[in-house]
Amino acid sequence: VVVMSGLAKSWLTPDGVAKPVFSGISGTIRREDKIAVVGVNGAGKSTFLKTLAGQTDPTCGTVTLGANVELGYFSQHAMELLDPKKTVFETVQDAMPLATIGVIRNLLGAFLFSGDSVEKRIENLSGGEKSRVVLATLLARPVNFLVLDEPTNHLDIKSREILLDALKNFSGTVLLVSHDRHFLRSLVDHVYEIDHGEMRVYQGDYSYYLHKVH
């Protein structure tokens, strides 16, 4: 799905000094991998996801997506990109213009929007509701590689379980950052740890990773 070669990213500080976030990351993400990206706060996890998702260019090195890879990217910033004047239904309909009303309502139902709540305007939604709309639009598109930065942050327990089920049943590849350990334990089969600008790959699930590092 992805080949990374010598990937590095630095940010320029206000006084013009390059601050390295990570460097020398090379590796391959394979089809159907479910990968957690872990590391202390500020380790560069979000930057790494942004770089893979093409939201920011690497300072050096390359990210090459495989043929026919359709990437869907979720970040906290994604909620700000929703059109506040549109309804929940219209927002998801835009993502799947050929779908029937029934299909759209089913998807919305899966993300806990039913009855009149599908007609609510985006501007009147809570953070958790907006999160659910963004996730519904992501899964409405024909994506096969999901890059998710803290997708569970604003979600209540029921919504987390719905997302977890959706991701478990998702036949593509998932790369995510999450602080929800239950979520990680239930989903991932590889762990990428970013530590002091380097990346370590653990070829096992989240419990295996915890066992290795403690």
Side-chain angles (χ1 to χ4, degrees):
V1 175
V2 183
V3 175
M4 302 169 282
S5 177
L7 202 58
K9 180 71 183 179
S10 315
W11 294 116
L12 278 180
T13 60
D15 46 6
V17 179
K19 180 180 182 294
V21 186
F22 54 78
S23 63
I25 293 180
S26 296
T28 307
I29 296 172
R30 298 186 188 285
R31 258 187 71 202
E32 298 180 18
D33 280 355
K34 305 269 197 286
I35 301 165
V37 179
V38 301
V40 296
N41 280 345
K45 301 185 294 287
S46 293
T47 306
F48 175 62
L49 264 54
K50 265 191 190 136
T51 309
L52 284 193
Q55 301 287 313
T56 183
D57 292 327
T59 311
C60 61
T62 56
V63 174
T64 311
L65 292 186
N68 307 320
V69 171
E70 292 293 330
L71 187 142
Y73 173 60
F74 175 89
S75 71
Q76 300 307 311
H77 183 58
M79 300 194 296
E80 298 159 27
L81 304 179
L82 295 170
D83 183 338
K85 297 294 179 211
K86 285 197 165 155
T87 65
V88 170
F89 186 87
E90 287 165 346
T91 304
V92 174
Q93 190 174 36
D94 288 348
M96 45 191 328
L98 301 177
T100 63
I101 290 174
V103 167
I104 295 167
R105 276 196 170 267
N106 278 346
L107 178 65
L108 284 169
F111 281 92
L112 306 181
F113 292 103
S114 56
D116 293 343
S117 70
V118 304
E119 297 304 330
K120 278 169 102 170
R121 283 179 193 262
I122 299 297
E123 64 190 356
N124 298 326
L125 301 182
S126 69
E129 288 171 323
K130 284 181 188 166
S131 258
R132 297 205 311 265
V133 172
V134 173
L135 291 163
T137 59
L138 265 190
L139 292 169
R141 295 193 176 96
V143 295
N144 51 23
F145 180 32
L146 287 172
V147 176
L148 309 172
D149 193 359
E150 297 281 6
T152 56
N153 252 9
H154 294 278
L155 300 184
D156 58 32
I157 287 171
K158 183 157 190 221
S159 304
R160 285 178 188 201
E161 288 301 323
I162 287 163
L163 178 61
L164 183 55
D165 281 345
L167 293 179
K168 278 182 178 170
N169 294 322
F170 179 67
S171 58
T173 308
V174 179
L175 183 85
L176 86 159
V177 171
S178 173
H179 289 296
D180 185 328
R181 289 189 158 199
H182 164 65
F183 206 84
L184 297 179
R185 273 200 188 93
S186 307
L187 183 69
V188 306
D189 48 30
H190 291 72
V191 177
Y192 288 3
E193 181 183 44
I194 299 182
D195 182 31
H196 293 91
E198 294 177 1
M199 192 161 84
R200 291 191 202 95
V201 175
Y202 293 87
Q203 302 283 357
D205 63 11
Y206 191 66
S207 301
Y208 169 84
Y209 160 72
L210 291 177
H211 172 72
K212 281 290 189 192
V213 293
H214 294 306

